Amino acid sequence: MSVFNQLAIHPEKCNNCLDCETACARIKTGTKNPTRSRIRTIKNLREPYYGPVVCLQCTEPDCLNICPSGAIHKNPETGIVSIDEERCVRCLLCTLVCPYSGIFYSAKDKKVIKCDLCDGDPECVKVCEPGALQFLKHAETYREWASKEDLFSPGLSACMGCNSELIIRFSLRILGKNTILATPPGCIPGFGAVGYSDTAGARVPIFHPLLSNTAAMLAGIKRYYQRMGREVNVVAFAGDGGTADVGFQSLSGAVERGENILYICVDNEGYMNTGIQRSGTTPFGAWTTTTPVGKTSKGKTRESKNLPMIMVMHGAPYVATASAAFLGDYGQKLKKAMKVKSGVAYIHLFSPCPTGWRFPPEKTIEVSRLAVETNFFPLWEYEKGALRFTHPVEHPRPVEEYLRGIGKYSHLNKKQVDEIKRISEKRYGMLKTLMQK
Amino acid sequence: MKEIRFHGRGGQGAVLASVILVKAFTKEKRYSSAIPYFGFERRGAPVTAFLRFDDRPIREKTQIYSPDCVVVMDPTLKRSSEIFQGLKEGGIFVLSTRKSIKEVDVPPEVGTLGCVDAIGISLEILGSPITNSCMLGAFVATTGWVSLDSVLESIRETWSGETREKNLRAAQAGYNRTKVVRLR
Amino acid sequence: MEEMIVVDGNKAAAWGAVLSRPMMVAAYPITPQTPLVEYLSQFIADGVLDADLVEVEGEHSALSVLQGASLAGGRVFTGTSGQGLAFMFEPYIRTAPLRLPIVMVIATRDGISPQCVWGGQQDAVTVRDGGWIQIYVENNQEILDTVIMAYKIGEDPEILLPVNVCYDGFYLSHMSEAVKIPDQTLVDRFLPPYKPTHVKLDPETPMAVDPLTPGILFTQYRQGHLEAQEKAKAVIERVDEEFGHLFGRSYGGLVENYRMEDAEIALVAMGSPCGTGKVAIDRIREKGVKAGLVKVRSLRPFPRERLLDSLKGVKAIGVIDKNVCFGWGTGVLYVELSAALQSLSVPILDFIGGLGGSDITFDHFEFAMNRVLRAMKEEVTQTVHWFSLD
């Protein structure tokens, strides 16, 4: 299935200024006549829907199906639904069947008109001050991704619903062939990324470092190629244990020495590969087999090690958090991280684990998204000495919405939930403070 | 083979003095080795170094228990009974001391005594009580086992700039101002 | 031109490294190896050695960084001692099975506790089953020469194993004596650049290093590793001979026999005690005793054939162990030698000494040889003796 760039509507932000209609009429007809605009605004406050309406370039457009003269087409490259004026018989059936009221008859022009996304740069979006209209370009990321060779072998055997496989396949398409990968013991090599017996799991050089020495081994490799005058991406996909716990000294040494490696921590908040034991990044309150729920204790009693923030304070030149629910955002960060030349580029990837966290496998991306939207795991990046949110969430959803769907939190009492809230708010507040100039 | 034992305190350069002597003997095409013995590596702690030289290769990798010569870099160490331990009959004793040679009291096995106010000379020339170069001069003056030129050349290789000049002067002064008496 | 300079053992090791042209050095200071790190840093700062200096935060990372560089194809060097080696143990036991011919010197030191910073071979012998080649040396010239030979041995395509050059902490690491610095062009002729293909991380030739490897396949890797250790015996001998031809110094390969031709009693030792031991042999021979000394240079691989050959004619043997073997009540060399000589019915006594920096003296050697002489003549019940305690 193809994916396309899309005009998204946030009706709750619309202030009924009608600038979109004016802009559309101006760019398409050179007039200010709103009846000639391809976007309209529902003005009646008593209507159940209030805000802009416009063609959503449906995947299976009703207008296309009903058109008796075959005048409506959907471009397979761009996804744009368009009308062939030569063939159109002005029956107006399309305007009647569109469930979104996105196709109009213009009496002035004597023809059916609809949005054509202005060749990928919609005028209406540019003028919409309150942000009710947004042009989503995720499709470009996905298309770019799909056009590149998958450098991992087929048949990696991760748990159902695990997003690590998605993450590494996605990442390696961006990193490309000129890459050496280190995957210390954990889920990623556990599902076969390095290989099994005499088989290889990837089409690039890949190896098992020790759980404890990933950053040091990569530093040695990178320095060898630097001496040879060869640019090679030297990249770690390490779990939270190999990063925050037993591998931390090695990473800390590498950051201090300014080793030019790209370190991605795929954080599933515990030792999941060995059967769900607590790690330094296991959050407060979470159940694991070593922070069990029993008579005297109910999950982890300490908050997690805030590793990405530690990396910022440590002086890593590029640090970012990322999530598989926001792959476009992650892709941009990965590209930036690849360009870093002055030290360790560090990306902390939030990686919910259906097996270890106890939630249904089909919910992985939803859990990832909720973590971001509740500010439990905000998306930010740090470069050139400045921190910024890459997906600001001004009005976060209550953290309970995130916790509710996850089995490892099912035992939490109100006090524990309040503590999680306090920790989230504290960390978010710290980020905000650091962002103030 | 001659065996020499150095007694000093951490920071006075007893170990370095023994190394400079190995270099000096090497210049004279003789075989030599120096093994330091460290207690705790801190300033002021007693330090011992064991030096051997011979016309055949030195294979011994052991401390020196019956030295032909004992060199004491620090006057306060003379109170320790260990410094004379095992000294051969008629052995040579080179001492850093402010006392006049007549006032120095040594056990009967000492055959030759060399005394120099190494602290005074070192303070005067180097501005610090690091006595090694001065004591090397005293060692040459007392034993005659190695030429002063070889020792000075080795000192020249060990330091550079002003420090080199000062240490050369300290060694020369140590050589010139050492009083030697044969006790038997 | 070969140059003669006065250096301590650590500096001899550093010179051995310089002449071997490693592209990377990573080491963490620890007594008594500390001056080695300082010397290497200064050599690099002065441009004497053109290598990357990685100022690691610990021994674990020191060896790990070098494993990375070696996996990419570089020749690398490090050194450690005592607790440093213990901290390095995790990457240490992986270096040999990865078949990375890294050279690491060990300035040997006794293990804690009780707290101790002094010499003893306990650190190195404790890791003798880590799969590395281990060579123990007697003096500073041998340190320097053996570091160069170690690369040639380890990088041999038939071997591909890391090598430890073990020199006694303080007794060699801090002992100053004159050594000859071989001519660089001659060393370059002896030791060509390292160009690995067996294991290499390079995007131009992608390779998965260490996929999960179970059961029989794993066993095959182990078997191959053991075969390489066996083959290393011949390579160590050959390389020592080649070195002798080119530089005029050789060390007997796996084992050096000292005055063993007509020996009735023999001492067997490793490292610096061999020097004192040889002089002790000279002294007892002056009294008419037919004694000799066998210096075991290679503890891994263990030269059982050479030792059997050296010792088959003697009537009693004394082993000098500067280490202990827990669980056997003896030293390590005693246990190893006893296993190698099981076909000979000759009494073997063990003498443990030189622990915690204590001195092994001529008195000790005299004591040992008297006991061995007695064992030659009559049956003795006490096989293990402790210097200064017995």
Side-chain angles (χ1 to χ4, degrees):
Chain A
M1 192 184 77
S2 303
V3 285
F4 305 107
N5 291 344
Q6 230 177 344
L7 199 62
I9 303 163
H10 304 282
E12 74 282 0
K13 291 185 180 171
C14 178
N15 62 4
N16 206 13
C17 69
L18 310 185
D19 285 354
C20 53
E21 292 185 12
T22 317
C24 185
R26 192 185 67 243
I27 199 88
K28 295 298 178 197
T29 67
T31 71
K32 288 182 182 176
N33 185 351
T35 63
R36 298 175 76 183
S37 168
R38 274 88 163 145
I39 185 166
R40 308 285 168 90
T41 306
I42 308 275
K43 303 168 184 79
N44 190 342
L45 296 175
R46 278 174 303 189
E47 291 279 331
Y49 178 85
Y50 169 78
V53 292
V54 66
C55 171
L56 297 181
Q57 322 291 345
C58 296
T59 306
E60 285 184 39
D62 285 350
C63 56
L64 184 149
N65 291 335
I66 201 136
C67 180
S69 61
I72 300 182
H73 297 280
K74 185 171 173 70
N75 184 317
E77 295 295 316
T78 62
I80 293 171
V81 177
S82 59
I83 302 165
D84 181 349
E85 283 174 34
E86 299 283 303
R87 287 193 169 191
C88 177
V89 295
R90 292 5 175 217
C91 67
L92 307 192
L93 280 173
C94 53
T95 66
L96 295 174
V97 297
C98 176
Y100 305 108
S101 303
I103 190 161
F104 315 97
Y105 180 71
S106 165
K108 182 85 185 169
D109 297 306
K110 296 192 174 62
K111 65 177 183 184
V112 177
I113 55 172
K114 67 173 289 303
C115 171
D116 61 4
L117 293 176
C118 298
D119 282 337
D121 189 18
E123 197 67 17
C124 55
V125 175
K126 286 189 252 177
V127 300
C128 182
E129 261 183 39
L133 294 168
Q134 194 189 2
F135 191 55
L136 301 175
K137 294 183 177 174
H138 295 72
E140 280 170 24
T141 309
Y142 291 115
R143 247 183 269 139
E144 180 197 339
W145 181 64
S147 71
K148 290 187 174 161
E149 189 187 355
D150 181 358
L151 292 170
F152 271 99
S153 306
L156 299 181
S157 53
C159 296
M160 226 197 301
C162 175
N163 66 2
S164 300
E165 186 180 339
L166 167 68
I167 287 165
I168 61 171
R169 287 189 194 277
F170 177 79
S171 305
L172 213 51
R173 282 172 141 129
I174 291 172
L175 290 163
K177 277 190 164 168
N178 189 30
T179 300
I180 297 173
L181 283 186
T183 60
C187 292
I188 292 173
F191 62 62
V194 179
Y196 192 75
S197 293
D198 271 348
T199 64
R203 293 183 174 90
V204 296
I206 185 166
F207 72 104
H208 263 111
L210 298 169
L211 188 59
S212 49
N213 74 356
T214 306
M217 283 190 80
L218 285 182
I221 294 169
K222 183 71 181 191
R223 281 176 181 247
Y224 174 84
Y225 283 107
Q226 283 172 332
R227 274 185 85 84
M228 297 296 128
R230 274 175 65 187
E231 267 301 331
V232 174
N233 302 315
V234 168
V235 184
F237 281 103
D240 43 293
T243 306
D245 293 347
V246 73
F248 185 70
Q249 176 177 327
S250 173
L251 176 62
S252 169
V255 175
E256 187 266 335
R257 293 192 305 273
E259 305 287 0
N260 191 205
I261 60 173
L262 204 170
Y263 197 106
I264 298 165
C265 173
V266 183
D267 181 9
N268 56 18
E269 300 183 341
Y271 299 96
M272 298 307 160
N273 186 51
T274 49
I276 318 156
Q277 294 85 28
R278 158 215 211 271
S279 81
T281 67
T282 303
F284 173 86
W287 164 88
T288 67
T289 56
T290 54
T291 54
V293 176
K295 266 187 193 161
T296 58
S297 81
K298 303 212 175 312
K300 195 180 172 195
T301 56
R302 304 288 309 165
E303 67 179 273
S304 68
K305 202 183 270 193
N306 191 347
L307 209 54
M309 191 53 79
I310 291 170
M311 287 298 114
V312 172
M313 297 302 160
H314 211 324
Y318 184 81
V319 181
T321 61
S323 163
F326 298 86
L327 276 182
D329 175 77
Y330 167 54
Q332 296 307 315
K333 288 169 175 171
L334 187 55
K335 284 177 188 169
K336 277 188 186 178
M338 286 168 70
K339 289 188 187 130
V340 171
K341 294 279 170 274
S342 55
V344 174
Y346 179 85
I347 298 178
H348 197 91
L349 244 163
F350 187 76
S351 180
C353 167
T355 308
W357 296 16
R358 307 293 197 232
F359 64 81
E362 69 274 17
K363 297 278 189 196
T364 306
I365 298 300
E366 189 180 321
V367 168
S368 300
R369 191 186 311 114
L370 277 169
V372 172
E373 290 175 351
T374 56
N375 276 341
F376 181 84
F377 187 83
L379 296 177
W380 51 266
E381 74 179 354
Y382 169 83
E383 61 177 333
K384 299 185 181 84
L387 261 176
R388 70 178 191 98
F389 287 118
T390 58
H391 183 86
V393 181
E394 291 299 331
H395 304 289
R397 298 186 190 203
V399 79
E400 287 91 333
E401 280 189 37
Y402 166 69
L403 301 173
R404 198 178 291 142
I406 303 169
K408 71 171 173 179
Y409 295 119
S410 60
H411 59 278
L412 295 184
N413 57 33
K414 182 165 182 309
K415 231 173 116 183
Q416 286 175 302
V417 172
D418 287 347
E419 177 62 7
I420 291 172
K421 259 187 222 169
R422 188 193 65 79
I423 294 165
S424 293
E425 281 163 14
K426 178 186 75 178
R427 292 186 177 191
Y428 187 79
M430 183 160 59
L431 285 166
K432 292 280 273 189
T433 308
L434 289 168
M435 282 175 204
Q436 285 161 7
K437 288 279 173 197
Chain B
M1 183 171 62
K2 297 284 186 210
E3 295 186 313
I4 302 130
R5 199 167 63 208
F6 286 82
H7 293 273
R9 290 190 182 278
Q12 282 178 330
V15 174
L16 187 55
S18 69
V19 174
I20 290 169
L21 272 186
V22 174
K23 290 181 182 174
F25 285 117
T26 304
K27 285 182 198 309
E28 299 189 354
K29 307 262 183 262
R30 280 185 284 182
Y31 295 95
S32 178
S33 81
I35 303 173
Y37 180 78
F38 295 100
F40 287 97
E41 293 182 60
R42 65 164 172 83
R43 302 239 147 194
V47 169
T48 315
F50 308 101
L51 178 89
R52 292 181 172 90
F53 74 95
D54 201 353
D55 294 327
R56 63 148 182 93
I58 310 289
R59 281 177 163 151
E60 289 81 351
K61 306 286 183 291
T62 178
Q63 297 176 10
I64 288 170
Y65 296 92
S66 47
D68 299 276
C69 172
V70 168
V71 181
V72 177
M73 321 272 292
D74 187 289
T76 61
L77 284 168
K78 213 213 135 215
R79 286 179 216 127
S80 155
S81 60
E82 285 173 12
I83 62 170
F84 293 106
Q85 219 163 50
L87 181 65
K88 283 196 181 120
E89 284 294 320
I92 302 171
F93 187 63
V94 189
L95 178 65
S96 158
T97 180
R98 204 162 296 183
K99 289 184 191 168
S100 82
I101 198 154
K102 282 171 198 156
E103 292 172 290
V104 175
D105 170 30
V106 291
E109 58 267 32
V110 175
T112 304
L113 172 65
C115 290
V116 66
D117 179 14
I119 300 241
I121 292 171
S122 302
L123 282 172
E124 176 192 318
I125 297 174
L126 303 167
S128 69
I130 300 172
T131 53
N132 51 6
S133 292
C134 181
M135 289 306 289
L136 284 170
F139 173 81
V140 176
T142 313
T143 65
W145 288 339
V146 64
S147 75
L148 184 66
D149 281 351
S150 298
V151 171
L152 292 178
E153 190 53 36
S154 301
I155 287 175
R156 211 165 274 133
E157 288 168 14
T158 306
W159 286 284
S160 63
E162 203 190 340
T163 319
R164 166 158 55 198
E165 296 314 311
K166 284 180 176 175
N167 278 283
L168 287 168
R169 276 165 52 209
Q172 185 71 56
Y175 179 79
N176 294 344
R177 285 148 75 171
T178 298
K179 295 272 182 290
V180 182
V181 284
R182 302 209 184 279
L183 300 172
R184 46 163 96 188
Chain C
M1 259 301 290
E2 196 168 70
E3 195 190 341
M4 176 95 96
I5 58 167
V6 171
V7 293
D8 61 24
N10 283 319
K11 201 162 197 172
W15 268 111
V18 165
L19 292 163
S20 304
R21 298 188 189 272
M23 55 74 59
M24 186 184 285
V25 167
Y28 185 82
I30 179 167
T31 302
Q33 157 268 31
T34 304
L36 171 71
V37 189
E38 298 173 345
Y39 295 140
L40 288 166
S41 304
Q42 194 65 49
F43 278 144
I44 290 170
D46 293 343
V48 176
L49 171 61
D50 175 22
D52 261 41
L53 176 75
V54 191
E55 307 106 315
V56 282
E57 81 295 340
E59 289 85 355
H60 192 285
S61 283
L63 189 53
S64 300
V65 164
L66 297 184
Q67 283 183 352
S70 182
L71 273 171
R75 178 181 289 161
V76 299
F77 179 79
T78 188
T80 191
S81 185
Q83 296 308 113
L85 180 59
F87 183 41
M88 192 191 267
F89 187 64
E90 195 195 14
Y92 181 88
I93 55 162
R94 198 199 185 190
T95 315
L98 261 176
R99 309 301 291 272
L100 301 176
I102 293 171
V103 172
M104 175 167 86
V105 296
I106 302 176
T108 60
R109 168 176 162 178
D110 235 312
I112 58 171
S113 284
Q115 187 62 28
C116 172
V117 298
W118 298 285
Q121 294 168 344
Q122 201 63 41
D123 50 358
V125 298
T126 300
V127 297
R128 68 191 179 281
D129 287 332
W132 292 51
I133 290 170
Q134 281 197 335
I135 299 175
Y136 291 70
V137 299
E138 178 191 328
N139 57 48
N140 291 358
Q141 185 73 60
E142 194 180 352
I143 295 173
L144 190 157
D145 293 345
T146 308
V147 167
I148 299 169
M149 283 191 266
Y151 283 105
K152 180 115 172 161
I153 296 162
E155 293 171 6
D156 187 293
E158 292 281 297
I159 308 304
L160 296 166
L161 287 175
V163 184
N164 286 145
V165 178
C166 309
Y167 52 90
D168 288 318
F170 293 110
Y171 278 88
L172 295 184
S173 68
H174 286 61
M175 179 190 76
S176 291
E177 64 180 2
V179 301
K180 289 174 181 159
I181 306 292
D183 182 62
Q184 181 72 63
T185 52
L186 223 52
V187 176
D188 290 345
R189 203 195 306 165
F190 176 76
L191 184 65
Y194 174 52
K195 291 203 174 100
T197 52
H198 68 297
V199 55
K200 183 161 165 59
L201 288 170
D202 186 341
E204 285 174 6
T205 50
M207 179 187 283
V209 173
D210 273 10
L212 283 166
T213 305
I216 299 302
L217 188 58
F218 181 90
T219 312
Q220 274 178 19
Y221 276 98
R222 279 290 175 273
Q223 191 185 37
H225 188 163
L226 261 63
E227 279 168 8
Q229 279 272 359
E230 283 302 299
K231 286 180 190 166
K233 290 179 186 171
V235 175
I236 292 169
E237 308 265 37
R238 193 188 71 219
V239 167
D240 183 57
E241 223 169 276
E242 271 178 52
F243 192 89
H245 285 310
L246 220 47
F247 300 97
R249 292 183 298 277
S250 60
Y251 297 92
L254 297 162
V255 164
E256 183 198 338
N257 293 323
Y258 184 74
R259 304 190 80 169
M260 284 298 294
E261 312 78 41
D262 58 345
E264 289 185 333
I265 62 162
L267 294 180
V268 183
M270 295 195 303
S272 67
C274 294
T276 317
K278 286 173 182 174
V279 180
I281 295 290
D282 292 347
R283 289 185 185 178
I284 204 169
R285 276 205 173 246
E286 279 170 24
K287 293 179 191 164
V289 177
K290 288 179 179 172
L293 182 138
V294 174
K295 173 171 128 188
V296 177
R297 294 188 73 233
S298 172
L299 181 65
R300 287 291 179 272
F302 195 72
R304 57 179 186 275
E305 299 86 357
R306 280 283 313 269
L307 289 168
L308 205 54
D309 185 57
S310 300
L311 296 163
K312 60 178 185 261
V314 303
K315 293 174 181 152
I317 297 167
V319 178
I320 312 295
D321 264 310
K322 209 171 147 67
N323 58 71
V324 297
C325 186
F326 294 106
W328 276 96
T330 68
V332 165
L333 188 56
Y334 175 85
V335 173
E336 301 268 343
L337 187 76
S338 300
L341 301 186
Q342 51 186 308
S343 62
L344 301 182
S345 56
V346 56
I348 308 174
L349 305 185
D350 193 19
F351 300 91
I352 296 171
L355 308 190
S358 60
D359 201 29
I360 301 182
T361 66
F362 283 108
D363 288 348
H364 290 145
F365 277 104
E366 206 179 308
F367 168 84
M369 285 189 287
N370 285 337
R371 296 286 163 147
V372 175
L373 280 170
R374 194 192 296 168
M376 183 174 82
K377 289 165 193 151
E378 59 194 71
E379 196 157 324
V380 293
T381 48
Q382 189 183 356
T383 50
V384 181
H385 298 80
W386 294 73
F387 286 156
S388 301
L389 299 184
D390 275 19

